[in-house]
Amino acid sequence: MILSLILLFLLLGTVLPWLSRNDRAGRYLAIFFALLSLAASLYAYAIFDFSNTGFQLEEKAEWIPALGISYHLAVDGLSLPLVILTALLALASCIYGTDEARRDYQFYGLLNLTCLGTAGVFMALDLFLFFVFWEVVLIPMYFLIAIFGGPRKTYASFKFIVYTHVGSVIMILAFFVLHYMYLEQFGVRTFDFLDFAKLSVEPKIASVLFIALVFGFMVKIPVVPFHTWLPAAHVEAPTSGSVLLAGILLKMGGYGLLRVPLTFFPEIARDFAIPLAIIAIISIFYGAFAAMAQEDYKSLIALSSVSHMGYVLLGAAALTPAALTGAAFQMFAHGTVSPLLFMMAGSLHHKAGTRLIPQLGGVAHKMPVWAVFMVAASLAGLGLPFTSSFVAEFTVLIGSLEAFNVLALFVFPAAIATAGYLLYALRRAVFGPFNTNLHIHGDLNTQEFAAMFILLILTIALGVYPRPLLDMIDAYSVYFVGLIGGV
Amino acid sequence: MIEIVFPEAVISLFAFLAVFTTVFSKEDKDMPAYLSLAGIILALIYLWTLKDVSSQFFTFVFDYYAWVMKLIFLSVAFLVVLISMNYLRDYDDSVGEFYALILIATVGMMVVVSARELITLYVAFETASLSSYALAAYFRKDKMSNEAGFKYLFFGAFSSGLILYGLSLIYGLTGTTELTAISKILSIDNPLVFLALGMLIAGFGYKISAVPFHQWTPDVYQGAPTSVTAFLSAGSKAMGLAIFIQVFVIGLYSANVDWKMVIAFVAILTMTLGNIVALWQQNVKRMLAYSSIAHAGYAMIGLAALSPLGVAASLFHILTHALMKAGAFGVLAFTAFKGIGETVEDLGGLWKKAPILALAMTIFMFSLAGFPPLGGFWSKYWLFTSAVGSGLWLLALIGVINSVISVFYYARVIRAIYVIEPPKAVRIGQPVELTLAVVVCLIGVLVIGFYPQPFIEALLNAVNLILP
C-alpha cells in the first residue's frame, strides 16, 4: 500500500491547494503533502529488501479487465531511487516557490500533479497505466509553462506538448502491437510488463518495435537531434517548473529506455549498441559545446542537461553492469544537481533582474551566499570528485570502456568542455569586479536557501558515501545483465 | 407487452402538457421546463425497471440494446432541458413549444432504437428529424437561427428522400421490411443492391455529417440556439449512428455485400476533413461542429471493423461523445447567454469569470482530444483497437494521426481559458440549472474515464444481442 500512499499524498497536495483557492494556505498544504509523500517514499526505502533483486512492494488490482488493464505498481532497484527523487523534488520545488506572486495556489497544485504523474510512471508495471501516467505529466507541465512562463511561453509550451505527445503516441502504438502479439500467442488480453517479458518476437518485428520505443523515449531524454524542445521549454518555464523538468521529466525518458526496450529486446539492443553510443557521444559533445556559447544562464544549464543525459544513453547502450549502474546513478545525480543549478539561475533572476551572463559580473560581492551555492553547484555539475555526478559519470565511463573500448575514450574531451563552460560562466558572471550597472536586491531568502540546501547536501553526501544508493541500483543491474545473458 | 412503450407514452404526454401550459400563460418560462424534466425523470425511472425485459409490441421491439440507447437519449434530453432553462428565460416569446419539440424528438429517437423494421424506422426517424429542424430555427427573429433551420430542413429533406428511395429499393429486392429477413434474402447478384446501399450511405451520412455530406453541419451548429446545438450534436448524431448500426449491421450483416471498405473510406475522409478544417476556426461553436464531424468519422471506424467489439466501441463513442459535447455546448450556451461571446478569444480568462464551467470545459477539451484517463480517450482507444483487431491497420493509424492533429485546436481553447488573463475579469454568476447539467456531464466523463469497465460490459452485452 505504501506506493499508492505516495501517489495519494501527491494527489491531495494537488487537489487541496486548488480547493483552498488561497495562496498562502495552498503553499502550506502543498509543502505538507509533498513532505508526507517524501516520508512515505523513505519508508518504502527502509522496508526495501536489498537482497531481493526482483520487483517489490507490489500492488495489483483489476482496473479494466475487459481490455486487460490492471492497476499494477511495484518498484525495484532502478525505480525506487527515482520515486524518492520525485518526492524530494516535489518538496524542494514547493519550498522554493513561485517566481512572482500570481495564482499561487494553482501553481503549487500543478507542481504536485507533475510529480504525481512522474512517480506513477516510475512505479507502474502495467504498461497501460505507465502510459496514462506518462500523459498525466504532460498537462500540468504545459500549464506551468503556458501560464507562469517567460515572454515566449506560448511557443515553448506548444512545442513541448507537440514533441512529447508525438513521442508518446508512437510509444502507445508499440504497446498496442505487444498487446496483440500476446493475445495471439497466449489468448489473453494484457498490458502487464511481466507478461510482455515472456513474449517471443521475431527479430524483424522486434527491431521495428525497439526503434519505435527508443525513439519515443529519446525525445523525452532528450538526445540530439530531438532536443530542440528542451532549451525552449526550460528558458521559458518558471524556476520550479524547470526544476521538475530537468529533475524528473527527463528521467522518465531514461527510465523508460532502461525499463522497456532494453528489457524486452536485449539482443536487438546489443545490435544497436554502437549507433546508440554514437548518438550518446554526439549528445554529450553537442550539449557541452552549445552550452559554452549561451549567454542566458538558464539555457546554458538546459543544454548542459542534454550533455549529462547523454551519459545515461551511453550507459544504456553499453549494457554492462557497471554502465547500467552508472546510468541509473547519473539519473539520480543529475536529478539533484540540475535542479539546484536552475534554482541558482532563478534566484539570480529575482535578485539581479537578468540572467544574461554579459550583463552580470562580480555578483559575488553583493550575493555572497548565493555565490557559495553557485560555485558548489557548478563544481558538482562538472563532476568533481566527492559529488554525486562524479560517481555516476565515472561509473558509466568504466562500464562503457568495457563494452566499447576506444569509442568510450571520445567522451573524455567532453568532460573538459563541461568544466570549461561552467567555470567560464562563473568567472564572467560571479567573480571579477562588480558591474556597477547591476542593481541587486539582497541575497537568498529563507525559502530559497532551504530548498537549495536540501539538494546540495544530498549531492555531496552521495558523492562522499554513495553506498546507500549504489547498493540498491547494483542489485538491479547485476541481476538484469545476468537475466539477459551477460555482456 | 404493452408496458414497453410506456416510456415513450409518458414523454409524449408531457410534451403535450408542456405546450398546453402556454395556453394559460406565455410569461411562465419555467413551468414547461419543469414539466419536461418531470416527464423525463418518470420515463427514466420506468425504463430502469424494464432493464431485463425482452419483448415485442407489434413492430416495436424492446431489448437490452434498445434499453441502453434509450437511457442515453433520455439523459441527453434531460441535460438539454437543463441547459436551455437559463437560456430561454430571456426569450421574448412562449417557450412551451421548445420543450415539447425536444421531447417529441426524443420520442422519435427512442422509437428508432426499438425499430427492427423499415417503415417503423423511417417514421420514427422523421419524427425526430422534423422536430429538430423546427428547433434549429426556434429563434424566429434571429437571422442566423433562421438560416440554420432552413439549411437543416433543406438538406434533411433531401437526405430523407435518398433514404426512402434506398429503403424502397431494398423492399423491392427482398419483398420484406423486416431487417433480419432482409439480411437472409439480400445478395449481391443484383446490381440494384449497390444503388440502394449507396443511397442509404449517403442519406444516413447526411444525418451523422459524414464527408462529403457534411456541408450543412457548421452553419446549422453555429446558427442554431446553443442548447439546440447540444441536442443535435449529442442526440441527433447518436440517433444517426444507431440507425446506421441497425440497418447496416443487423440488416446487411450476413448479406454478402462488402460495404466495409466504403465505410472505412468515408470514415477516413470524415475524420481527416473535420480535424483539419477545425484547425482554422475562430468561433468555438463552429470549431466544435467540425470536431463533431471528426468524431463521426471515429465512430464509423467501429462500423468498418464490423466485429462485436467494433460496434460496441461505436456505441461507447456515442455515449462519451454525447456527454462531452452536451457539456461543451452547455458551457458555450452560458457564454453566449451572458454576452461573453463564442470565439476563442472571448473565452479568454474564463477561469476567473466562471471557475466551475472553465474547469469543466477544459476537461471536455482534453477528453475530446483523447487524453487518458478520460472518457473520450477510452472510446478512441477502443475504436482503434477494434480496427486493429479486424486487420484494418491503416484505418487505426490514420485515426491516431488525426487524434494528434486534433490536440492543436483543442489546446487553443484550453490555452484561452486558463492562460489569458484579461485585465478586468470579474466573477459572473454561474446559473444553477446550466451548471448542474455541465457538472453532470463532467462527472460522467470522469466516471467513464476512471472506471469504464461496467459501461464496456453493458455495451458488449447489448451488441452481442443484436448481432446475428
Side-chain angles (χ1 to χ4, degrees):
Chain A
M1 285 314 288
I2 189 72
L3 297 181
S4 294
L5 205 60
I6 297 173
L7 296 179
L8 176 70
F9 286 142
L10 288 171
L11 182 67
L12 289 174
T14 305
V15 176
L16 293 180
W18 285 348
L19 290 180
S20 76
R21 299 180 62 79
N22 176 314
D23 292 342
R24 220 179 147 72
R27 175 176 161 83
Y28 290 126
L29 281 168
I31 291 178
F32 177 68
F33 283 105
L35 189 66
L36 282 184
S37 73
L38 179 62
S41 66
L42 290 177
Y43 179 72
Y45 178 82
I47 59 174
F48 188 83
D49 178 5
F50 280 68
S51 59
N52 178 350
T53 47
F55 286 101
Q56 302 182 34
L57 309 175
E58 200 169 337
E59 292 167 29
K60 189 167 185 177
E62 284 204 330
W63 183 18
I64 309 164
L67 304 175
I69 299 165
S70 60
Y71 176 81
H72 190 182
L73 302 179
V75 288
D76 66 352
L78 174 63
S79 51
L80 186 57
L82 293 172
V83 172
I84 298 171
L85 178 69
T86 305
L88 181 80
L89 287 181
L91 181 65
S93 63
C94 285
I95 291 179
Y96 186 88
T98 52
D99 290 343
E100 47 180 329
R102 183 165 67 93
R103 298 163 77 171
D104 279 8
Y105 66 95
Q106 295 179 351
F107 184 82
Y108 289 108
L110 289 171
L111 290 181
N112 274 337
L113 184 58
T114 312
C115 293
L116 166 69
T118 322
V121 166
F122 296 142
M123 292 173 188
L125 269 198
D126 185 284
L127 286 182
F128 207 94
L129 190 65
F130 177 92
F131 170 74
V132 169
F133 279 124
W134 187 279
E135 291 283 281
V136 164
V137 176
L138 211 64
I139 295 167
M141 190 43 82
Y142 168 78
F143 280 125
L144 277 174
I145 301 173
I147 301 178
F148 303 97
R152 285 166 75 233
K153 58 189 180 181
T154 307
Y155 166 76
S157 58
F158 200 63
K159 198 167 182 182
F160 167 77
I161 209 164
V162 170
Y163 266 66
T164 38
H165 195 61
V166 169
S168 49
V169 164
I170 289 168
M171 182 174 86
I172 187 72
L173 285 177
F175 291 168
F176 236 53
V177 178
L178 290 170
H179 174 77
Y180 269 95
M181 285 201 291
Y182 196 88
L183 186 64
E184 243 172 54
Q185 288 181 20
F186 298 89
V188 183
R189 285 186 179 276
T190 182
F191 275 97
D192 205 284
F193 175 82
L194 300 174
D195 288 337
F196 281 169
K198 293 181 212 147
L199 273 173
S200 53
V201 187
E202 277 176 56
K204 239 184 196 167
I205 301 175
S207 330
V208 175
L209 287 176
F210 181 81
I211 292 172
L213 286 168
V214 167
F215 171 78
F217 294 125
M218 283 206 305
V219 173
K220 199 84 175 185
I221 289 179
V223 295
V224 178
F226 312 116
H227 66 286
T228 58
W229 64 269
L230 180 91
H234 264 313
V235 171
E236 302 307 321
T239 306
S240 295
S242 292
V243 164
L244 296 185
L245 205 52
I248 49 178
L249 258 73
L250 308 189
K251 308 306 174 286
M252 286 163 53
Y255 170 79
L257 184 72
L258 291 173
R259 177 63 82 215
V260 184
L262 249 51
T263 313
F264 290 165
F265 313 112
E267 289 81 21
I268 312 289
R270 242 174 248 128
D271 295 344
F272 280 95
I274 300 287
L276 284 180
I278 291 173
I279 295 178
I281 291 173
I282 291 175
S283 284
I284 295 173
F285 266 93
Y286 179 90
F289 281 101
M292 216 176 267
Q294 298 306 313
E295 298 200 330
D296 185 338
Y297 231 125
K298 230 176 165 181
S299 72
L300 181 147
I301 302 165
L303 283 158
S304 86
S305 285
V306 176
S307 174
H308 286 297
M309 290 303 287
Y311 284 93
V312 176
L313 183 62
L314 183 66
L319 268 187
T320 58
L324 284 178
T325 306
F329 201 96
Q330 169 74 343
M331 287 202 275
F332 194 96
H334 179 258
T336 52
V337 174
S338 182
L340 182 58
L341 282 166
F342 275 114
M343 286 180 184
M344 305 315 305
S347 296
L348 179 65
H349 191 91
H350 297 171
K351 303 290 151 41
T354 180
R355 294 185 308 249
L356 297 177
I357 296 170
Q359 295 181 9
L360 296 163
V363 178
H365 295 284
K366 291 284 168 96
M367 298 171 72
V369 183
W370 179 86
V372 170
F373 272 100
M374 188 66 197
V375 171
S378 298
L379 293 179
L382 63 86
L384 202 73
F386 293 119
T387 62
S388 54
S389 348
F390 172 75
V391 181
E393 286 172 16
F394 190 70
T395 324
V396 171
L397 283 180
I398 298 282
S400 43
L401 271 175
E402 265 176 68
F404 301 124
N405 300 325
V406 191
L407 186 60
L409 291 177
F410 279 98
V411 178
F412 285 106
I416 299 168
T418 308
Y421 65 78
L422 282 168
L423 295 178
Y424 184 49
L426 272 186
R427 189 178 71 77
R428 285 184 297 163
V430 182
F431 298 115
F434 182 67
N435 180 350
T436 43
N437 296 330
L438 270 180
H439 300 284
I440 291 182
H441 317 285
D443 208 334
L444 294 184
N445 60 28
T446 323
Q447 67 194 55
E448 289 169 331
F449 183 86
M452 291 167 186
F453 190 73
I454 299 173
L455 295 180
L456 185 62
I457 287 296
L458 197 65
T459 307
I460 295 171
L462 284 175
V464 177
Y465 188 65
R467 284 281 306 272
L469 194 58
L470 217 47
D471 283 354
M472 181 179 266
I473 298 173
D474 238 4
Y476 150 78
S477 44
V478 171
Y479 168 76
F480 178 72
V481 174
L483 194 72
I484 61 174
V487 183
Chain B
M1 275 280 276
I2 191 163
E3 74 272 12
I4 56 175
V5 296
F6 280 2
E8 280 85 351
V10 169
I11 298 285
S12 308
L13 174 69
F14 276 85
F16 172 72
L17 288 178
V19 185
F20 200 62
T21 55
T22 58
V23 173
F24 302 108
S25 159
K26 285 195 171 185
E27 293 311 308
D28 189 353
K29 308 265 202 268
D30 282 348
M31 196 54 188
Y34 288 133
L35 276 173
S36 313
L37 289 178
I40 294 169
I41 289 172
L42 276 178
L44 270 173
I45 293 172
Y46 192 79
L47 189 64
W48 194 258
T49 64
L50 294 176
K51 185 176 180 193
D52 300 314
V53 174
S54 178
S55 155
Q56 192 165 3
F57 181 68
F58 296 102
T59 58
F60 186 95
V61 179
F62 194 93
D63 52 18
Y64 190 66
Y65 162 79
W67 182 78
V68 170
M69 296 304 291
K70 282 175 197 199
L71 273 186
I72 296 178
F73 291 136
L74 280 175
S75 316
V76 168
F78 186 80
L79 293 168
V80 170
V81 170
L82 275 182
I83 293 170
S84 310
M85 282 179 74
N86 305 107
Y87 202 60
L88 287 181
R89 258 177 218 144
D90 294 346
Y91 185 60
D92 55 4
D93 206 336
S94 75
V95 297
E97 297 88 340
F98 181 90
Y99 295 108
L101 283 168
I102 287 199
L103 292 185
I104 293 167
T106 309
V107 170
M109 293 172 186
M110 289 166 73
V111 177
V112 160
V113 290
S114 280
R116 300 287 185 281
E117 185 264 345
L118 296 178
I119 301 297
T120 319
L121 190 81
Y122 183 76
V123 171
F125 170 74
E126 279 297 280
T127 310
S129 300
L130 287 171
S131 317
S132 25
Y133 306 148
L135 279 171
Y138 199 79
F139 284 179
R140 279 186 291 262
K141 288 161 198 157
D142 180 25
K143 266 190 190 163
M144 295 276 278
S145 179
N146 271 306
E147 185 198 333
F150 182 73
K151 269 197 180 149
Y152 198 25
L153 170 68
F154 186 76
F155 280 105
F158 188 63
S159 73
S160 294
L162 283 177
I163 292 169
L164 207 53
Y165 205 165
L167 294 182
S168 63
L169 277 175
I170 287 185
Y171 175 67
L173 288 166
T174 58
T176 174
T177 57
E178 295 280 336
L179 283 167
T180 39
I182 290 170
S183 78
K184 285 178 193 124
I185 302 169
L186 206 63
S187 71
I188 41 170
D189 298 339
N190 197 324
L192 278 178
V193 172
F194 292 108
L195 189 61
L197 283 178
M199 299 228 165
L200 288 180
I201 289 181
F204 292 134
Y206 270 112
K207 215 63 215 172
I208 60 172
S209 55
V211 175
F213 317 113
H214 67 284
Q215 291 94 338
W216 59 274
T217 318
D219 293 336
V220 172
Y221 277 30
Q222 188 182 358
T226 311
S227 56
V228 173
T229 312
F231 188 64
L232 297 182
S233 181
S236 294
K237 181 157 280 184
M239 175 188 71
L241 277 164
I243 294 190
F244 229 108
I245 288 171
Q246 282 161 241
V247 173
F248 282 84
V249 178
I250 303 178
L252 308 171
Y253 186 75
S254 45
N256 219 350
V257 187
D258 194 16
W259 45 268
K260 280 196 317 192
M261 283 305 138
V262 181
I263 303 272
F265 185 68
V266 174
I268 289 175
L269 277 183
T270 307
M271 56 194 176
T272 312
L273 184 126
N275 277 323
I276 288 179
V277 179
L279 289 173
W280 276 270
Q281 301 308 317
Q282 287 307 320
N283 185 303
V284 181
K285 232 170 139 183
R286 213 173 163 83
M287 178 193 284
L288 289 184
Y290 280 105
S291 134
S292 258
I293 296 175
H295 278 266
Y298 297 134
M300 288 170 81
I301 292 178
L303 302 183
L306 197 65
S307 55
L309 209 61
V311 178
S314 287
L315 291 179
F316 188 73
H317 191 75
I318 289 177
L319 171 67
T320 54
H321 182 256
L323 287 170
M324 296 182 293
K325 279 288 159 69
F329 281 118
V331 176
L332 288 180
F334 164 79
T335 59
F337 157 70
K338 291 285 183 187
I340 297 174
E342 46 194 45
T343 67
V344 178
E345 284 89 56
D346 291 337
L347 293 186
L350 193 67
W351 69 275
K352 231 173 187 173
K353 296 174 187 160
I356 300 175
L357 294 177
L359 177 70
M361 188 70 170
T362 306
I363 289 179
F364 295 138
M365 291 299 120
F366 274 124
S367 179
L368 283 166
F371 274 82
L374 295 166
F377 167 75
W378 291 115
S379 63
K380 272 189 200 171
Y381 170 76
W382 196 7
L383 285 165
F384 299 158
T385 352
S386 69
V388 174
S390 300
L392 299 167
W393 273 98
L394 191 66
L395 187 58
L397 193 67
I398 293 176
V400 171
I401 293 171
N402 262 289
S403 184
V404 175
I405 293 175
S406 72
V407 174
F408 286 79
Y409 59 88
Y410 295 124
R412 270 173 55 211
V413 177
I414 296 167
R415 201 185 81 76
I417 292 176
Y418 271 99
V419 178
I420 295 175
E421 276 180 90
K424 283 179 291 182
V426 277
R427 209 45 187 274
I428 301 173
Q430 301 172 80
V432 181
E433 294 89 352
L434 189 144
T435 311
L436 180 69
V438 172
V439 168
V440 169
C441 294
L442 178 64
I443 291 172
V445 169
L446 290 176
V447 167
I448 295 179
F450 282 94
Y451 194 56
Q453 177 71 16
F455 300 92
I456 293 175
E457 268 174 12
L459 292 171
L460 271 175
N461 283 343
V463 166
N464 282 327
L465 207 78
I466 57 164
L467 281 188

